[in-house]
Amino acid sequence: MNRRVLALLAAVLLAVAGCSGSGGGGKSVVVTTNILGDITRNIVGDQAGVTVLMKPNADPHSFGISAQQAAEVERAGLIVYNGLGLEEGMLRTVRTAEENGVPSLPVGERANPIAYPGGAADPHFWTDPGRVREAVKLIADQIVAHVGGVDEAVIRANADRYGREIAALDVTMTERFGAIPPDRRKLVTNHHVFGYLAQRYGFEVVGAVIPGGTTLASPSSSDLKALADTVRSAGVPVIFADSSQPDKLARVLAEQAGLHVAVTSLFSESLSEPGQGAVTYLDMMRANTESIATGLTRP
């Protein structure tokens, strides 16, 4: 066999390998955000590989991926992503994989989304444990349908177990928030991220330092003044800042409000490194619950 024939065979084999790497049927799950990554790992267990693209303490609105990670997306058996505009830096990669036939699940779009005051869909569904329980079922269904080699019974059992843990979290949050007087259940945050939590547990979202649902926007001086007036009239005792974002804007607002307003960090859009308080979704929600309840009941 001469060199020309060998080269031709090699080219054909590479082309076949490239085609087999797309279109689904793979044995791995690729997840965009680390919150969804933790949820997915609890469902998958040891049944398949799970690759999470977003590192701890990252901002989902601005994080991007490497060429190697993009290749993993193309080879995935299933892509699990939030959608609703959350992963602004990598949606093109997801769209390309979808066009090439890789199965995907835009979890936020299937979670009965609510809207921001301006009308756009809010992607931050995970602050409502009830919606997360439904998301667990959706993810389990898609893993069984698309990821090769998994044991359906194990996936279903994992999903049921994890769903019970989320239900217990919901009970804890309901009890803890129930101790906050109704007139103190008012939230001001860096940007609009707790609408789902507010809806489930009876809070009022007074406003946000950055208008809208993305950290990539910037508030104007008139935005800050209007919100400062609202904070003053509402008597809000604390402003909650995202743990993955500097709280400079929240502190500027506190100064403009002319009131003694505390600034407390919450884990709103990203899990943390080990030892920082929010290494899992359940840890994150418990920590936020305690921070919100403590902040809103301080004298």
PDB file of all heavy atoms in Angstrom, residues 42-63:
ATOM      1  N   ASN A  42     -25.480  15.294  40.846  1.00  0.00           N
ATOM      2  CA  ASN A  42     -26.271  14.542  41.805  1.00  0.00           C
ATOM      3  C   ASN A  42     -27.193  13.546  41.125  1.00  0.00           C
ATOM      4  O   ASN A  42     -27.494  12.489  41.686  1.00  0.00           O
ATOM      5  CB  ASN A  42     -27.086  15.501  42.680  1.00  0.00           C
ATOM      6  CG  ASN A  42     -26.316  16.004  43.881  1.00  0.00           C
ATOM      7  OD1 ASN A  42     -26.227  15.322  44.897  1.00  0.00           O
ATOM      8  ND2 ASN A  42     -25.727  17.182  43.761  1.00  0.00           N
ATOM      9  N   ILE A  43     -27.644  13.880  39.925  1.00  0.00           N
ATOM     10  CA  ILE A  43     -28.532  12.982  39.182  1.00  0.00           C
ATOM     11  C   ILE A  43     -27.744  11.881  38.489  1.00  0.00           C
ATOM     12  O   ILE A  43     -28.131  10.707  38.517  1.00  0.00           O
ATOM     13  CB  ILE A  43     -29.346  13.791  38.142  1.00  0.00           C
ATOM     14  CG1 ILE A  43     -30.193  14.853  38.843  1.00  0.00           C
ATOM     15  CG2 ILE A  43     -30.215  12.863  37.297  1.00  0.00           C
ATOM     16  CD1 ILE A  43     -30.752  15.900  37.895  1.00  0.00           C
ATOM     17  N   VAL A  44     -26.627  12.238  37.888  1.00  0.00           N
ATOM     18  CA  VAL A  44     -25.838  11.283  37.111  1.00  0.00           C
ATOM     19  C   VAL A  44     -25.108  10.295  38.005  1.00  0.00           C
ATOM     20  O   VAL A  44     -25.020   9.099  37.704  1.00  0.00           O
ATOM     21  CB  VAL A  44     -24.828  12.033  36.213  1.00  0.00           C
ATOM     22  CG1 VAL A  44     -23.851  11.050  35.562  1.00  0.00           C
ATOM     23  CG2 VAL A  44     -25.559  12.831  35.148  1.00  0.00           C
ATOM     24  N   GLY A  45     -24.572  10.773  39.148  1.00  0.00           N
ATOM     25  CA  GLY A  45     -23.784   9.892  40.001  1.00  0.00           C
ATOM     26  C   GLY A  45     -22.572   9.362  39.260  1.00  0.00           C
ATOM     27  O   GLY A  45     -21.843  10.126  38.616  1.00  0.00           O
ATOM     28  N   ASP A  46     -22.385   8.043  39.300  1.00  0.00           N
ATOM     29  CA  ASP A  46     -21.235   7.429  38.629  1.00  0.00           C
ATOM     30  C   ASP A  46     -21.604   6.835  37.271  1.00  0.00           C
ATOM     31  O   ASP A  46     -20.834   6.051  36.701  1.00  0.00           O
ATOM     32  CB  ASP A  46     -20.626   6.351  39.516  1.00  0.00           C
ATOM     33  CG  ASP A  46     -21.602   5.209  39.821  1.00  0.00           C
ATOM     34  OD1 ASP A  46     -22.766   5.251  39.343  1.00  0.00           O
ATOM     35  OD2 ASP A  46     -21.215   4.277  40.550  1.00  0.00           O
ATOM     36  N   GLN A  47     -22.742   7.236  36.731  1.00  0.00           N
ATOM     37  CA  GLN A  47     -23.226   6.631  35.494  1.00  0.00           C
ATOM     38  C   GLN A  47     -22.603   7.209  34.225  1.00  0.00           C
ATOM     39  O   GLN A  47     -22.628   6.587  33.171  1.00  0.00           O
ATOM     40  CB  GLN A  47     -24.756   6.778  35.416  1.00  0.00           C
ATOM     41  CG  GLN A  47     -25.501   5.976  36.445  1.00  0.00           C
ATOM     42  CD  GLN A  47     -25.317   4.492  36.242  1.00  0.00           C
ATOM     43  OE1 GLN A  47     -25.725   3.943  35.218  1.00  0.00           O
ATOM     44  NE2 GLN A  47     -24.671   3.823  37.196  1.00  0.00           N
ATOM     45  N   ALA A  48     -22.063   8.400  34.305  1.00  0.00           N
ATOM     46  CA  ALA A  48     -21.468   9.038  33.119  1.00  0.00           C
ATOM     47  C   ALA A  48     -20.577  10.179  33.572  1.00  0.00           C
ATOM     48  O   ALA A  48     -20.643  10.630  34.723  1.00  0.00           O
ATOM     49  CB  ALA A  48     -22.560   9.560  32.174  1.00  0.00           C
ATOM     50  N   GLY A  49     -19.742  10.653  32.679  1.00  0.00           N
ATOM     51  CA  GLY A  49     -18.921  11.808  32.973  1.00  0.00           C
ATOM     52  C   GLY A  49     -19.722  13.094  32.865  1.00  0.00           C
ATOM     53  O   GLY A  49     -20.597  13.223  32.006  1.00  0.00           O
ATOM     54  N   VAL A  50     -19.447  14.024  33.754  1.00  0.00           N
ATOM     55  CA  VAL A  50     -20.105  15.331  33.733  1.00  0.00           C
ATOM     56  C   VAL A  50     -19.014  16.408  33.681  1.00  0.00           C
ATOM     57  O   VAL A  50     -18.178  16.483  34.587  1.00  0.00           O
ATOM     58  CB  VAL A  50     -21.005  15.558  34.958  1.00  0.00           C
ATOM     59  CG1 VAL A  50     -21.611  16.968  34.920  1.00  0.00           C
ATOM     60  CG2 VAL A  50     -22.104  14.510  35.017  1.00  0.00           C
ATOM     61  N   THR A  51     -19.030  17.203  32.646  1.00  0.00           N
ATOM     62  CA  THR A  51     -18.084  18.307  32.501  1.00  0.00           C
ATOM     63  C   THR A  51     -18.817  19.614  32.754  1.00  0.00           C
ATOM     64  O   THR A  51     -19.824  19.903  32.097  1.00  0.00           O
ATOM     65  CB  THR A  51     -17.475  18.339  31.091  1.00  0.00           C
ATOM     66  OG1 THR A  51     -16.742  17.137  30.866  1.00  0.00           O
ATOM     67  CG2 THR A  51     -16.545  19.537  30.912  1.00  0.00           C
ATOM     68  N   VAL A  52     -18.324  20.404  33.707  1.00  0.00           N
ATOM     69  CA  VAL A  52     -18.927  21.701  34.029  1.00  0.00           C
ATOM     70  C   VAL A  52     -17.996  22.787  33.500  1.00  0.00           C
ATOM     71  O   VAL A  52     -16.815  22.845  33.859  1.00  0.00           O
ATOM     72  CB  VAL A  52     -19.133  21.860  35.550  1.00  0.00           C
ATOM     73  CG1 VAL A  52     -19.758  23.207  35.867  1.00  0.00           C
ATOM     74  CG2 VAL A  52     -20.010  20.726  36.080  1.00  0.00           C
ATOM     75  N   LEU A  53     -18.512  23.644  32.647  1.00  0.00           N
ATOM     76  CA  LEU A  53     -17.685  24.645  31.966  1.00  0.00           C
ATOM     77  C   LEU A  53     -17.350  25.844  32.846  1.00  0.00           C
ATOM     78  O   LEU A  53     -16.273  26.417  32.753  1.00  0.00           O
ATOM     79  CB  LEU A  53     -18.387  25.120  30.696  1.00  0.00           C
ATOM     80  CG  LEU A  53     -18.713  24.018  29.676  1.00  0.00           C
ATOM     81  CD1 LEU A  53     -19.454  24.626  28.483  1.00  0.00           C
ATOM     82  CD2 LEU A  53     -17.446  23.300  29.207  1.00  0.00           C
ATOM     83  N   MET A  54     -18.259  26.250  33.700  1.00  0.00           N
ATOM     84  CA  MET A  54     -18.087  27.469  34.487  1.00  0.00           C
ATOM     85  C   MET A  54     -17.397  27.155  35.811  1.00  0.00           C
ATOM     86  O   MET A  54     -17.840  26.315  36.575  1.00  0.00           O
ATOM     87  CB  MET A  54     -19.461  28.101  34.740  1.00  0.00           C
ATOM     88  CG  MET A  54     -19.460  29.353  35.577  1.00  0.00           C
ATOM     89  SD  MET A  54     -21.170  29.988  35.689  1.00  0.00           S
ATOM     90  CE  MET A  54     -21.089  30.833  37.264  1.00  0.00           C
ATOM     91  N   LYS A  55     -16.297  27.852  36.085  1.00  0.00           N
ATOM     92  CA  LYS A  55     -15.549  27.651  37.321  1.00  0.00           C
ATOM     93  C   LYS A  55     -16.278  28.275  38.509  1.00  0.00           C
ATOM     94  O   LYS A  55     -17.127  29.152  38.330  1.00  0.00           O
ATOM     95  CB  LYS A  55     -14.154  28.260  37.191  1.00  0.00           C
ATOM     96  CG  LYS A  55     -13.272  27.602  36.140  1.00  0.00           C
ATOM     97  CD  LYS A  55     -11.909  28.232  36.113  1.00  0.00           C
ATOM     98  CE  LYS A  55     -11.036  27.594  35.035  1.00  0.00           C
ATOM     99  NZ  LYS A  55     -10.864  26.146  35.239  1.00  0.00           N
ATOM    100  N   PRO A  56     -15.935  27.857  39.740  1.00  0.00           N
ATOM    101  CA  PRO A  56     -16.531  28.488  40.925  1.00  0.00           C
ATOM    102  C   PRO A  56     -16.241  29.992  40.966  1.00  0.00           C
ATOM    103  O   PRO A  56     -15.208  30.453  40.467  1.00  0.00           O
ATOM    104  CB  PRO A  56     -15.846  27.761  42.085  1.00  0.00           C
ATOM    105  CG  PRO A  56     -15.426  26.440  41.523  1.00  0.00           C
ATOM    106  CD  PRO A  56     -15.070  26.717  40.098  1.00  0.00           C
ATOM    107  N   ASN A  57     -17.170  30.737  41.530  1.00  0.00           N
ATOM    108  CA  ASN A  57     -17.041  32.186  41.720  1.00  0.00           C
ATOM    109  C   ASN A  57     -17.001  32.971  40.409  1.00  0.00           C
ATOM    110  O   ASN A  57     -16.580  34.127  40.387  1.00  0.00           O
ATOM    111  CB  ASN A  57     -15.796  32.535  42.558  1.00  0.00           C
ATOM    112  CG  ASN A  57     -15.863  31.976  43.957  1.00  0.00           C
ATOM    113  OD1 ASN A  57     -16.915  31.975  44.592  1.00  0.00           O
ATOM    114  ND2 ASN A  57     -14.737  31.477  44.456  1.00  0.00           N
ATOM    115  N   ALA A  58     -17.432  32.363  39.329  1.00  0.00           N
ATOM    116  CA  ALA A  58     -17.464  33.056  38.036  1.00  0.00           C
ATOM    117  C   ALA A  58     -18.810  33.744  37.837  1.00  0.00           C
ATOM    118  O   ALA A  58     -19.783  33.454  38.533  1.00  0.00           O
ATOM    119  CB  ALA A  58     -17.195  32.074  36.906  1.00  0.00           C
ATOM    120  N   ASP A  59     -18.853  34.648  36.881  1.00  0.00           N
ATOM    121  CA  ASP A  59     -20.082  35.348  36.519  1.00  0.00           C
ATOM    122  C   ASP A  59     -20.633  34.701  35.250  1.00  0.00           C
ATOM    123  O   ASP A  59     -19.993  34.735  34.205  1.00  0.00           O
ATOM    124  CB  ASP A  59     -19.772  36.825  36.263  1.00  0.00           C
ATOM    125  CG  ASP A  59     -21.006  37.649  35.923  1.00  0.00           C
ATOM    126  OD1 ASP A  59     -22.064  37.062  35.605  1.00  0.00           O
ATOM    127  OD2 ASP A  59     -20.922  38.895  35.964  1.00  0.00           O
ATOM    128  N   PRO A  60     -21.828  34.089  35.303  1.00  0.00           N
ATOM    129  CA  PRO A  60     -22.353  33.405  34.118  1.00  0.00           C
ATOM    130  C   PRO A  60     -22.617  34.329  32.943  1.00  0.00           C
ATOM    131  O   PRO A  60     -22.661  33.888  31.798  1.00  0.00           O
ATOM    132  CB  PRO A  60     -23.658  32.771  34.625  1.00  0.00           C
ATOM    133  CG  PRO A  60     -24.043  33.580  35.808  1.00  0.00           C
ATOM    134  CD  PRO A  60     -22.750  33.996  36.446  1.00  0.00           C
ATOM    135  N   HIS A  61     -22.801  35.621  33.217  1.00  0.00           N
ATOM    136  CA  HIS A  61     -23.074  36.561  32.133  1.00  0.00           C
ATOM    137  C   HIS A  61     -21.846  36.843  31.281  1.00  0.00           C
ATOM    138  O   HIS A  61     -21.967  37.231  30.127  1.00  0.00           O
ATOM    139  CB  HIS A  61     -23.601  37.888  32.702  1.00  0.00           C
ATOM    140  CG  HIS A  61     -24.889  37.742  33.438  1.00  0.00           C
ATOM    141  ND1 HIS A  61     -26.109  37.631  32.800  1.00  0.00           N
ATOM    142  CD2 HIS A  61     -25.166  37.686  34.765  1.00  0.00           C
ATOM    143  CE1 HIS A  61     -27.071  37.522  33.700  1.00  0.00           C
ATOM    144  NE2 HIS A  61     -26.524  37.545  34.898  1.00  0.00           N
ATOM    145  N   SER A  62     -20.650  36.658  31.851  1.00  0.00           N
ATOM    146  CA  SER A  62     -19.441  37.060  31.138  1.00  0.00           C
ATOM    147  C   SER A  62     -18.432  35.944  30.902  1.00  0.00           C
ATOM    148  O   SER A  62     -17.479  36.141  30.167  1.00  0.00           O
ATOM    149  CB  SER A  62     -18.742  38.196  31.913  1.00  0.00           C
ATOM    150  OG  SER A  62     -18.360  37.762  33.209  1.00  0.00           O
ATOM    151  N   PHE A  63     -18.634  34.757  31.500  1.00  0.00           N
ATOM    152  CA  PHE A  63     -17.603  33.738  31.341  1.00  0.00           C
ATOM    153  C   PHE A  63     -17.612  33.170  29.926  1.00  0.00           C
ATOM    154  O   PHE A  63     -18.647  33.072  29.272  1.00  0.00           O
ATOM    155  CB  PHE A  63     -17.747  32.633  32.397  1.00  0.00           C
ATOM    156  CG  PHE A  63     -18.657  31.488  32.011  1.00  0.00           C
ATOM    157  CD1 PHE A  63     -18.130  30.292  31.565  1.00  0.00           C
ATOM    158  CD2 PHE A  63     -20.035  31.604  32.127  1.00  0.00           C
ATOM    159  CE1 PHE A  63     -18.954  29.231  31.222  1.00  0.00           C
ATOM    160  CE2 PHE A  63     -20.876  30.545  31.795  1.00  0.00           C
ATOM    161  CZ  PHE A  63     -20.315  29.353  31.331  1.00  0.00           C
TER     162      PHE A  63
END
